[in-house]
Amino acid sequence: MWTICPKLSFNSVGACGGDRRDEKRSEQNFVDNVNLVLQKYRGKEVENLEVRFAFDGMLVDHLTYWISYAVSSRTKNIAFDLAPIRWGGRDDRYIFPLELFDSESISRLQCIQLSFVSLKLPTHFRGFQNLRKLDLNLLHVTRKDLENMLSNCDRLEWLSIVRCHLNDELRVESPLSHLMYLRVVNCIVTKVQFHATRLSTFEYKGRFVPIIFPHCLKMETANIFFFKAVFQHALGALLNDIPSIQNLTLQILPLQIEAQWDLGYQHKLSQLRNVQLLVHIFEEYVDNVLYLVSFLKAAPFIEKLEVHFGGCQELWFASRGPARHQLPHPGREYSHLKDIHVTGYKGARGQLELLLHMVEHAPALEALTVHTTQLLPEACFPDSTAPSFFDDAGRHARDHLGQGLSPKVKFCVV
């Protein structure tokens, strides 16, 4: 009979008392403390083993011993976070010894977290058959090895891949029928493609690349942050490749907006109900704000729309850009739109015309909220605006938007 130890967790602060002034002494204290505790629990089943310490080449033998200990202790959940505080362009990652795991120990693993390691699959690797959660950060791995590993995680439910630079496609064509959560952040990839019918939550932050889920039946939430893209191109990609989204947060920085109303989209985001658009307006696109309306045509069943504006000083009371009467008729009303919430309102013509267009074609509208304060961070646009500008923008919104609103609409300007 095995005695069960629920969790053993080691980190540089806890094991070394937070003293990092003498690196060598600190490393040795850490190793001694870990080995002392592991010796105490030898012969017991350790369900969770966590090691968090900045990698140093001198630790290789100890790390290998600790992983071997996890194998012999029938560990179900392992975490080896070896990322240094300042890793720069370091390539001296620890080579994770998958060959230490036999079929029995692999079948027990349910959760793996690896950071700042290098991974190469053994020749006859058959996957983690019972793995539920996989968290990869700063991993060195080839596209082929990563694809083969993921293709053989049949029961995977949760997957996070952060700062893993494949310089290639991140693609898994084998069905991951249990995968419900996927995060891909700050990875250098040329495409993201998964066969995941039950995927519910997707988070992406990185370059504008094709993101394809051809078999996803109903994606509940998508949070997407593209580095530099044309708004209409990003919208077209969502329509073609992730049409099943229900709740979407979309941010593009820097944002480019083409002066086009209708790009002839063949598909609709017919399941989309709630949208957050985070739009940073640069000076050259101040007169193109109204063209954001193309989103509504692509998603006719939206119920709640939030638009959070960030922008340059030139956006304040800008009189540039087209008027809403130049828009083609939407063809159908935005009959499901009930709630519009805008922040960062600066009294620009494009902002006002966009709001007026939506209000005039939303017969079911119940609430319209306009904030002159900006919620988006001002990293790109340092704010030196006089307080009176916010008061003037508030009056501008009340005067122009309040006149034609139905008395049933709750109208608030803050």
Side-chain angles (χ1 to χ4, degrees):
M1 295 291 293
W2 284 75
T3 304
I4 297 177
C5 171
K7 182 176 182 178
L8 295 178
S9 180
F10 308 96
N11 62 68
S12 58
V13 175
C16 305
D19 185 2
R20 300 289 295 166
R21 289 172 294 180
D22 183 342
E23 293 292 332
K24 295 301 179 184
R25 178 169 60 87
S26 180
E27 283 184 8
Q28 190 58 53
N29 286 343
F30 179 76
V31 169
D32 291 344
N33 284 330
V34 173
N35 287 336
L36 183 64
V37 173
L38 294 186
Q39 183 63 35
K40 178 181 177 181
Y41 287 94
R42 178 169 294 281
K44 297 184 178 182
E45 181 175 320
V46 179
E47 291 191 343
N48 302 275
L49 178 62
E50 299 180 1
V51 176
R52 305 182 188 279
F53 192 79
F55 176 65
D56 184 286
M58 300 296 292
L59 285 175
V60 169
D61 291 340
H62 297 289
L63 286 167
T64 303
Y65 167 68
W66 298 337
I67 293 170
S68 179
Y69 181 95
V71 172
S72 63
S73 300
R74 306 167 66 89
T75 301
K76 297 177 181 178
N77 308 305
I78 61 173
F80 279 76
D81 182 356
L82 310 180
I85 297 174
R86 292 178 295 274
W87 62 277
R90 283 180 56 180
D91 288 325
D92 57 333
R93 285 163 171 76
Y94 173 63
I95 301 175
F96 193 80
L98 275 173
E99 65 276 4
L100 293 180
F101 292 83
D102 57 20
S103 58
E104 183 180 351
S105 57
I106 282 180
S107 67
R108 279 194 295 266
L109 287 173
Q110 296 180 7
C111 176
I112 298 176
Q113 179 186 355
L114 298 176
S115 180
F116 208 73
V117 306
S118 180
L119 196 63
K120 183 173 177 58
L121 298 188
T123 305
H124 300 293
F125 180 76
R126 294 184 178 179
F128 300 102
Q129 300 92 337
N130 294 309
L131 194 68
R132 302 294 196 275
K133 183 175 181 179
L134 180 60
D135 190 344
L136 304 174
N137 178 41
L138 291 167
L139 184 74
H140 264 190
V141 65
T142 65
R143 178 201 62 79
K144 184 177 180 181
D145 275 350
L146 183 59
E147 180 179 349
N148 288 342
M149 179 176 71
L150 295 177
S151 296
N152 288 283
C153 295
D154 298 336
R155 299 193 178 183
L156 193 64
E157 299 172 1
W158 192 100
L159 173 61
S160 174
I161 305 175
V162 178
R163 292 185 290 180
C164 300
H165 302 327
L166 298 181
N167 294 300
D168 205 334
E169 296 181 353
L170 172 57
R171 182 180 64 197
V172 181
E173 295 183 348
S174 298
L176 295 177
S177 56
H178 295 273
L179 186 65
M180 300 182 68
Y181 175 89
L182 173 62
R183 175 172 60 182
V184 180
V185 172
N186 294 333
C187 297
I188 299 178
V189 296
T190 58
K191 177 192 283 189
V192 176
Q193 181 173 348
F194 281 76
H195 185 157
T197 55
R198 296 180 60 194
L199 188 64
S200 174
T201 302
F202 174 61
E203 298 181 21
Y204 178 83
K205 183 177 183 180
R207 298 174 178 177
F208 176 47
V209 299
I211 298 175
I212 303 172
F213 299 104
H215 305 283
C216 184
L217 300 177
K218 184 177 289 187
M219 184 180 294
E220 184 174 328
T221 303
N223 191 332
I224 298 175
F225 187 155
F226 286 132
F227 299 149
K228 189 178 181 179
V230 176
F231 180 77
Q232 289 89 341
H233 296 178
L235 176 57
L238 295 177
L239 286 166
N240 290 323
D241 302 327
I242 324 178
S244 62
I245 305 172
Q246 293 180 312
N247 305 284
L248 172 66
T249 298
L250 176 62
Q251 181 171 9
I252 302 173
L253 184 67
L255 172 68
Q256 302 170 24
I257 309 172
E258 289 185 341
Q260 296 188 50
W261 304 121
D262 187 357
L263 300 183
Y265 301 128
Q266 298 298 315
H267 304 284
K268 302 290 184 184
L269 294 169
S270 58
Q271 298 187 42
L272 190 59
R273 299 295 182 266
N274 302 292
V275 179
Q276 283 189 327
L277 298 179
L278 287 67
V279 291
H280 298 261
I281 305 299
F282 287 78
E283 181 179 0
E284 58 265 41
Y285 298 105
V286 166
D287 52 354
N288 286 358
V289 172
L290 182 55
Y291 294 99
L292 295 173
V293 77
S294 57
F295 196 97
L296 287 168
K297 185 172 183 180
F301 300 106
I302 288 179
E303 297 175 0
K304 182 176 181 179
L305 174 63
E306 297 182 25
V307 184
H308 300 287
F309 286 99
C312 56
Q313 294 297 309
E314 289 76 12
L315 190 60
W316 282 103
F317 307 106
S319 58
R320 297 153 46 186
R324 67 188 184 283
H325 66 78
Q326 296 174 252
L327 283 169
H329 191 277
R332 58 185 299 174
E333 301 290 290
Y334 310 130
S335 55
H336 297 266
L337 186 57
K338 298 178 181 179
D339 190 343
I340 301 173
H341 189 135
V342 171
T343 66
Y345 181 80
K346 293 178 167 60
R349 174 189 287 179
Q351 291 179 310
L352 177 61
E353 293 292 316
L354 178 63
L355 282 170
L356 286 170
H357 171 80
M358 291 190 292
V359 167
E360 291 167 356
H361 295 281
L365 190 65
E366 297 175 355
L368 173 62
T369 306
V370 179
H371 285 259
T372 59
T373 53
Q374 181 173 309
L375 298 186
L376 293 185
E378 288 286 358
C380 298
F381 310 104
D383 192 6
S384 57
T385 306
S388 62
F389 276 41
F390 296 93
D391 295 333
D392 292 343
R395 282 192 294 271
H396 184 272
R398 278 187 289 269
D399 292 345
H400 290 85
L401 291 168
Q403 297 175 359
L405 280 178
S406 165
K408 297 180 180 179
V409 177
K410 182 180 178 181
F411 180 42
C412 180
V413 178
V414 183

